[in-house]
Amino acid sequence: MNREAYEAVIGLEVHTHLLTRSKLFCGCSTTFGAGPNENVCPVCMGMPGVLPVLNRRAVELAIRTGLAAHCAIAPYSIFDRKSYFYPDLPKGYQISQYETPICKGGYIDLPATENGEPRRIRLTRIHIEEDAGKNIHGENASLVDFNRSGVPLIEIVSEPDLRSAEDAGAYLRQLRAILRYVDASDGKMEEGSFRCDCNVSIRKRGAKEYGVRSEIKNLNSFRFVEDAIDYEVGRQIEIVEGGGKVAQETLLWDPARKETRPMRSKEYANDYRYFPEPDLPPLIVPAEMEEKVRASMPELPADRKTRYVRELGLTEYEADVLIADRDVADYFEATLPALKNRKSAANWVMTEVLRVARDSGESFVEAVPPAAEVGALLRMVEGQKISLNAAKTAFAAMVKSGKGAEATIAALGLAQVSDESAIAAACDKVLAAEPEKVAEYRAGRDKLFGFFVGAVMKAMGGKANPKVINDILRAKLTG
Amino acid sequence: MASELNKLTIADASSKLRGREITATQLTRDCLDRIAAAEPRLHAFITVCEREALEQARAADARLAAGNAPALCGIPLGIKDIYATRGIRTTCGSRILETFVPPFDATVIERLRADGAIFVGKTNMDEFAMGSSTENSAFGPTMNPHDIGRVAGGSSGGSAAAVAAYECLGALGTDTGGSIREPASFCGVVGIKPTYSRVSRYGVVAYASSLDQVGPFARSVRDAAIIIRTLAGKDARDSTCSARPVPDYERALTGDVKGLRIGVPREFFVEGMQPEVEKSVRSALKNYESLGASTVEISLPHTGYAIAAYYLVATAEASANLARYDGIRFGLRVNAEDNIALYETTRAHGFGAEVKRRIMLGTFALSAGYYDAYYLKAQKVRTLIRNDFERAFEKCDLIVTPVAPTTAFKIGEKMNEPLTMYLSDIFTISLNLAGLPGMSIPCGHDSNNLPIGMQLIAPPFAEETILRAGDAFERTGAFKPRTPAV
């Protein structure tokens, strides 16, 4: 199969829960993990006669997301009813936005990778809608939990600008970063707050027209998105290479078998009969409201990256790693006060701190010691009070004990010795014990310098300041 | 027993209650006795709430004794069975909700409760308010108190009949295309549909959300004014509800209509309408002239498209509004092998013929490929109709028309001809499309002693104009409604 001759064309529709306290159209809590049907009321149960009232915070979060993704915010948009029957859909219709989304256009920039240049992925739209409940199928009965019914979602629709599974993954990670930066979403996929539909087609490299696309529905992790796209692209290429035609169909991803399979037509063949929701007035976003939201926007990942590169002297790669997660970037910045060397702080966060977070399985903020303590530790390295190795030892201890930097250094006796007379004495001892090597060095074997440094450090129990050792040794050997 | 306090107007009963001349319990008892006597012939109620009503009456009496009770404290009302009433079943005239007991109150029910009003029962109606005769009730029709061979009108026929027959002092109805005004006309009582958005719809089982409006029935314009003051006003649970302040409607009842310009639309006096209807309305117009008002002929040129537009918009909205009756969470369920079959059998058993007809119409009107030709076109017609009224109100302050082309028709007469039935609403429907307030007030009777209603129409939020004009007509004594035969 000649995979290289083909190019994949991929567009994503991402659904993500908005981080509001209450649901989109009623006051029920959105807290995850409540008992079945505890977070419900007549409105989100679709009882006769109830009416929706729009959650203002959800609108603000949608606008924040739109602004972060460079969308145009619609001053006027309406809600529509999308009709279909399903047991988890209490009203028999979902309140969504059809022809007039709250955000139009926009784009998300993907950073450069080993395989390619930075890329701009255009967005089609972002709209607000409500989530449905959840069906739980037992042996003899199905149960429905309506806690999720009415939880606010935004759907972010991209143009078909993605070309590979890796692209899709990079786009999703960038999108998640933005959503977290603007507090729109927590990005916790394990709680079902993220779902993605992928439109996938292939074409001969260089071709202008799109191929027939299939839609893979309801992928709930980045990993599944990448795997499903990879599989689907391969499947489509095989079909075309074999002389066949790709059918326009709706597919489901089976993560266990690692393959896509067509949905039964009953599962998706709906005429949704969209029409304007008569129970809600048009959603008006006055210019002042948009400006107010704009003024409250945090620094976005792209701006932060520019600042890290220009002002802190980090490389693009370092900046990308740090900004990918708002918590990490915030943490990094919290270590900086009183530090001269920003680069070593960046390295420290990227290696030591991220490793601890990754290994712990907890959330970043829960897993790592306070940023101020790491800052204090790095300040001691800068002030040559401890060695870099001592700092690493101390950091590992701090993660375990939860104690501060100073206390840990003291408890472990890691403070560095810079006392010149003590170091000079140790140097004298070493040089006196190795007269032959001293003679060799003076005869021109420069490489032996390292041997002397190591020997002095050993004599000082590893705690001596290496710079002071260097200076003293050099003076003694040349003198 | 013979006190017949149930025949009092709300205004009179309220002053007697507050003056401690009568008690809410006596008044409620008289209504319940009347209900027991008349119901076998009328069937105005689906559920009579004797125990709850007497409890409410006791509470009202305590409040009245304490003084400073609101106007509706201790007043027995009938509630159309479309309002969610906490703990009292709410059927909406349908098998599908036959056993449904809401866990919440509609906003207007909450407001009436807060004022100490008493609910004697839930009144009969066309299933899901779809109909003009109350014959579409799953629980059997309501008979007209003036002639039990005839319909009470609909869809709020139970409320109209109950008020006309003294089973209660006032009642709540809803009006989507004429469902308050037409039965008020047929039963000879006052019925008001306020401006769309004037009264909260929260807890009112939805038929057509952009047209449905809450309103009262009463035996006098003043009584209706007292009720709507309690009903109207902003509601945080209904985003379509207006925040405009609510006037004291009773203060509008000055009896003075001098200088009032009354528009008479030529499109509302049509060929084929019952001559006595036209004659009564024209004679009422003469009365207004004698009171110092002027009349002017106006034109509402798009009136002829109102029924077609209505049956697209209303059914489209209904097709979605009624999707929630799926047998999953509440109401009737007829079990079947899978989800789809469960929906089909539940809805096939639960809904009556007219409801199914309208769901299918609306589903069709919204289907892919038809939306522009039907739903969107109908919305455009709606704008034209609204513009007609706006232009007309440049020339007049109030429009007067008949409520319906005929007086109450015979039970069964139009059941097999849905289109003829739809024409009963020809004069009322355009107000719902335009969102305007309208009132039906008795202005005469035909040779069979059946009541004739006159419709008063005003610009949005000008309920006071309607009430003032209606009250002024009542005061002339030009027409005295007859006591119904039942």
Side-chain angles (χ1 to χ4, degrees):
Chain A
M1 179 173 72
N2 183 11
R3 238 187 130 128
E4 288 311 305
Y6 294 89
E7 160 178 84
V9 175
I10 301 154
L12 299 185
E13 296 168 18
V14 172
H15 296 80
T16 184
H17 280 163
L18 290 174
L19 266 188
T20 56
R21 274 197 296 274
S22 57
K23 292 186 179 180
L24 187 54
F25 298 119
C26 63
C28 288
S29 167
T30 55
T31 321
F32 179 78
N37 294 312
E38 280 183 5
N39 293 344
V40 298
C41 73
V43 175
C44 56
M45 288 288 278
M47 291 219 168
V50 299
L51 297 170
V53 176
L54 182 61
N55 182 329
R56 188 186 172 89
R57 182 65 185 156
V59 175
E60 282 169 4
L61 292 178
I63 295 174
R64 283 168 76 86
T65 308
L67 290 175
H70 314 278
C71 303
I73 308 302
Y76 173 99
S77 63
I78 61 165
F79 286 91
D80 296 277
R81 292 185 180 178
K82 176 183 180 178
S83 289
Y84 63 94
F85 282 99
Y86 206 64
D88 66 10
L89 187 71
K91 300 187 293 297
Y93 57 84
Q94 178 195 29
I95 303 179
S96 179
Q97 293 191 301
Y98 184 48
E99 283 185 349
T100 60
I102 183 162
C103 305
K104 281 186 232 171
Y107 58 85
I108 286 174
D109 284 331
L110 303 188
T113 63
E114 300 137 38
N115 305 324
E117 293 290 292
R119 300 263 310 284
R120 176 160 289 184
I121 307 304
R122 291 167 303 151
L123 298 186
T124 314
R125 59 186 282 168
I126 301 175
H127 70 254
I128 305 172
E129 61 187 26
E130 58 178 338
D131 205 352
K134 208 157 89 186
N135 290 346
I136 299 148
H137 301 289
E139 262 182 48
N140 303 312
S142 289
L143 302 169
V144 197
D145 179 359
F146 290 99
N147 284 349
R148 215 177 60 189
S149 164
V151 169
L153 291 173
I154 46 176
E155 181 175 335
I156 302 145
V157 183
S158 85
E159 292 285 302
D161 287 355
L162 301 161
R163 293 290 172 268
S164 64
E166 298 76 61
D167 264 9
Y171 167 82
L172 292 175
R173 277 184 286 276
Q174 194 64 24
L175 180 60
R176 179 173 60 178
I178 289 173
L179 290 167
R180 296 190 54 170
Y181 266 77
V182 300
D183 297 317
S185 161
D186 57 10
K188 285 187 190 164
M189 277 161 274
E190 65 280 11
E191 295 177 5
S193 71
F194 162 92
R195 269 164 305 179
C196 184
D197 302 339
C198 307
N199 293 297
V200 180
S201 65
I202 56 156
R203 63 183 174 190
K204 273 263 160 65
R205 222 168 263 287
K208 284 270 175 280
E209 302 90 61
Y210 294 125
V212 174
R213 68 189 162 92
S214 56
E215 183 179 13
I216 315 165
K217 280 222 166 277
N218 271 329
L219 296 157
N220 60 9
S221 84
F222 291 7
R223 181 64 196 291
F224 291 168
V225 170
E226 291 171 309
D227 288 354
I229 289 174
D230 248 342
Y231 173 86
E232 180 60 17
V233 169
R235 189 186 73 90
Q236 291 189 9
I237 290 172
E238 247 175 61
I239 291 174
V240 173
E241 287 276 278
K245 281 193 169 157
V246 175
Q248 178 160 3
E249 56 187 342
T250 305
L251 308 169
L252 283 179
W253 172 245
D254 183 336
R257 295 180 167 195
K258 297 216 170 237
E259 60 185 30
T260 53
R261 64 163 180 87
M263 282 176 93
R264 288 174 297 142
S265 65
K266 229 179 177 180
E267 292 174 304
Y268 71 91
N270 279 306
D271 175 357
Y272 291 122
R273 307 191 308 278
Y274 283 100
F275 76 101
E277 165 57 276
D279 288 331
L280 287 169
L283 172 53
I284 309 286
V285 180
E288 309 85 76
M289 180 177 178
E290 186 183 329
E291 278 320 304
K292 216 172 141 192
V293 176
R294 199 186 291 279
S296 75
M297 291 287 281
E299 186 183 34
L300 294 170
D303 299 328
R304 217 170 213 192
K305 179 179 169 182
T306 309
R307 182 163 62 86
Y308 284 7
V309 172
R310 290 212 187 126
E311 294 176 23
L312 304 183
L314 305 189
T315 65
E316 298 242 340
Y317 172 75
E318 288 166 338
D320 279 333
V321 172
L322 290 172
I323 62 155
D325 183 333
R326 184 182 176 177
D327 288 338
V328 176
D330 286 347
Y331 187 91
F332 162 63
E333 293 193 27
T335 62
L336 291 182
L339 283 188
K340 286 196 200 76
N341 192 343
R342 274 65 196 279
K343 204 130 177 141
S344 73
N347 279 326
W348 189 271
V349 172
M350 286 166 62
T351 52
E352 303 303 318
V353 178
L354 280 177
R355 179 168 54 241
V356 165
R358 215 170 26 243
D359 293 348
S360 77
E362 293 171 64
S363 79
F364 178 82
V365 176
E366 286 163 356
V368 300
E373 293 304 326
V374 170
L377 198 60
L378 293 176
R379 198 155 57 244
M380 287 189 259
V381 175
E382 257 181 24
Q384 301 189 358
K385 295 206 177 81
I386 56 171
S387 69
L388 202 57
N389 276 332
K392 286 179 184 169
T393 310
F395 180 72
M398 284 158 68
V399 170
K400 285 209 185 79
S401 70
K403 291 210 176 83
E406 299 257 7
T408 306
I409 296 292
L412 298 180
L414 291 171
Q416 189 163 261
V417 177
S418 298
D419 176 353
E420 291 191 14
S421 61
I423 293 173
C427 288
D428 287 343
K429 235 177 172 174
V430 166
L431 297 180
E434 304 281 355
E436 285 158 24
K437 288 204 165 80
V438 171
E440 278 180 50
Y441 177 83
R442 287 188 170 142
R445 270 195 76 192
D446 291 353
K447 281 184 185 163
L448 278 171
F449 189 75
F451 163 80
F452 295 124
V453 173
V456 173
M457 187 60 95
K458 198 175 169 197
M460 298 287 297
K463 292 177 197 171
N465 182 333
K467 191 171 176 297
V468 177
I469 299 179
N470 277 347
D471 293 348
I472 292 175
L473 269 179
R474 213 174 288 280
K476 287 189 186 292
L477 283 168
T478 52
Chain B
M1 270 293 270
S3 56
E4 295 200 321
L5 297 178
N6 53 309
K7 290 193 171 176
L8 292 171
T9 62
I10 292 172
D12 288 347
S14 184
S15 95
K16 285 183 199 294
L17 283 166
R18 282 184 285 185
R20 313 297 297 141
E21 289 173 56
I22 61 173
T23 67
T25 304
Q26 290 167 329
L27 181 58
T28 304
R29 266 262 165 259
D30 281 2
C31 288
L32 291 168
D33 288 347
R34 172 66 181 151
I35 288 170
E39 274 304 283
R41 283 167 293 163
L42 285 185
H43 192 231
F45 287 88
I46 291 174
T47 306
V48 176
C49 308
E50 178 163 349
R51 186 178 53 81
E52 293 90 343
L54 289 171
E55 267 170 33
Q56 286 177 307
R58 269 193 296 277
D61 279 328
R63 205 164 154 190
L64 285 158
N68 271 331
L72 287 176
C73 187
I75 303 295
L77 301 175
I79 305 297
K80 188 178 182 179
D81 210 14
I82 198 167
Y83 291 91
T85 41
R86 186 195 292 268
I88 300 172
R89 76 170 178 151
T90 298
T91 70
C92 218
S94 182
R95 286 273 168 238
I96 214 156
L97 288 178
E98 191 168 0
T99 58
F100 175 63
V101 178
F104 66 106
D105 273 331
T107 293
V108 292
I109 295 299
E110 210 174 76
R111 289 186 183 166
L112 291 171
R113 279 194 206 278
D115 271 13
I118 291 159
F119 307 143
V120 291
K122 302 294 293 284
T123 61
N124 199 10
M125 57 183 285
D126 285 302
E127 184 177 6
F128 286 101
M130 296 177 183
S132 310
S133 68
T134 311
E135 291 166 290
N136 293 332
S137 167
F139 310 106
T142 292
M143 275 53 81
N144 192 310
H146 294 272
D147 176 352
I148 59 167
R150 290 180 185 266
V151 301
S155 67
S156 315
S159 286
V163 172
Y166 307 111
E167 293 181 313
C168 47
L169 275 63
L172 289 194
T174 57
D175 191 314
T176 306
S179 284
I180 288 175
R181 291 159 288 156
E182 188 243 26
S185 170
F186 283 10
C187 293
V189 295
V190 173
I192 299 185
K193 178 203 103 69
T195 309
Y196 183 79
S197 83
R198 179 69 288 187
V199 182
S200 166
R201 293 182 293 117
Y202 184 82
V204 182
V205 181
Y207 158 23
S209 313
S210 74
L211 303 164
D212 294 344
Q213 192 50 216
V214 165
F217 291 92
R219 290 193 292 266
S220 76
V221 172
R222 181 172 298 275
D223 286 4
I226 293 170
I227 301 175
I228 56 169
R229 184 158 188 219
T230 295
L231 305 180
K234 187 180 153 101
D235 178 15
R237 287 175 295 195
D238 178 358
S239 346
T240 64
C241 189
S242 171
R244 275 166 99 93
V246 179
D248 180 352
Y249 294 111
E250 261 195 284
R251 290 181 60 175
L253 311 181
T254 58
D256 181 8
V257 291
K258 270 194 207 68
L260 190 75
R261 298 170 305 161
I262 299 177
V264 184
R266 68 174 81 95
E267 292 83 0
F268 281 60
F269 293 86
V270 293
E271 289 274 322
M273 69 190 281
Q274 197 175 323
E276 293 151 305
V277 170
E278 175 161 4
K279 211 180 116 208
S280 292
V281 174
R282 296 258 184 227
S283 132
L285 285 167
K286 287 269 175 295
N287 269 294
Y288 277 123
E289 284 173 351
S290 70
L291 291 173
S294 60
T295 57
V296 53
E297 193 186 63
I298 56 164
S299 174
L300 298 166
H302 296 95
T303 302
Y305 303 104
I307 289 199
Y310 172 88
Y311 277 97
L312 289 168
V313 173
T315 58
E317 291 179 4
S319 72
N321 281 334
L322 273 64
R324 70 192 62 200
Y325 308 106
D326 57 6
I328 302 290
R329 284 147 298 123
F330 49 76
L332 180 73
R333 173 191 292 182
V334 183
N335 276 310
E337 66 273 20
D338 64 18
N339 289 344
I340 307 279
L342 183 146
Y343 300 145
E344 284 169 358
T345 49
T346 297
R347 290 165 69 83
H349 283 84
F351 290 139
E354 183 60 27
V355 171
K356 288 176 188 162
R357 183 179 294 130
R358 294 196 194 189
I359 290 174
M360 285 190 281
L361 261 173
T363 303
F364 180 75
L366 291 174
S367 295
Y370 297 99
Y371 179 85
D372 289 0
Y374 294 120
Y375 183 80
L376 205 62
K377 186 74 137 254
Q379 290 291 15
K380 288 177 182 166
V381 170
R382 210 170 160 178
T383 305
L384 294 175
I385 287 171
R386 192 178 298 129
N387 294 346
D388 276 2
F389 278 106
E390 263 173 36
R391 263 193 297 278
F393 281 120
E394 288 165 10
K395 284 198 226 163
C396 60
D397 311 305
L398 183 76
I399 294 173
V400 171
T401 74
V403 174
T406 66
T407 54
F409 45 87
K410 293 204 168 100
I411 287 175
E413 190 181 327
K414 298 188 181 179
M415 275 307 270
N416 296 320
E417 296 173 61
L419 288 180
T420 320
M421 184 77 94
Y422 295 171
L423 287 175
S424 317
D425 297 328
I426 189 162
F427 298 145
T428 48
I429 239 164
S430 50
L431 277 71
N432 299 79
L433 292 169
L436 303 177
M439 174 166 79
S440 173
I441 169 175
C443 72
H445 46 75
D446 69 4
S447 52
N448 293 318
N449 282 332
L450 295 170
I452 294 168
M454 160 169 76
Q455 177 170 241
L456 310 184
I457 309 165
F461 298 101
E463 281 82 4
E464 289 165 288
T465 310
I466 291 176
L467 293 165
R468 179 157 54 97
D471 172 66
F473 178 77
E474 272 180 0
R475 288 187 196 206
T476 64
F479 170 72
K480 278 258 180 279
R482 286 167 191 255
T483 300
V486 172

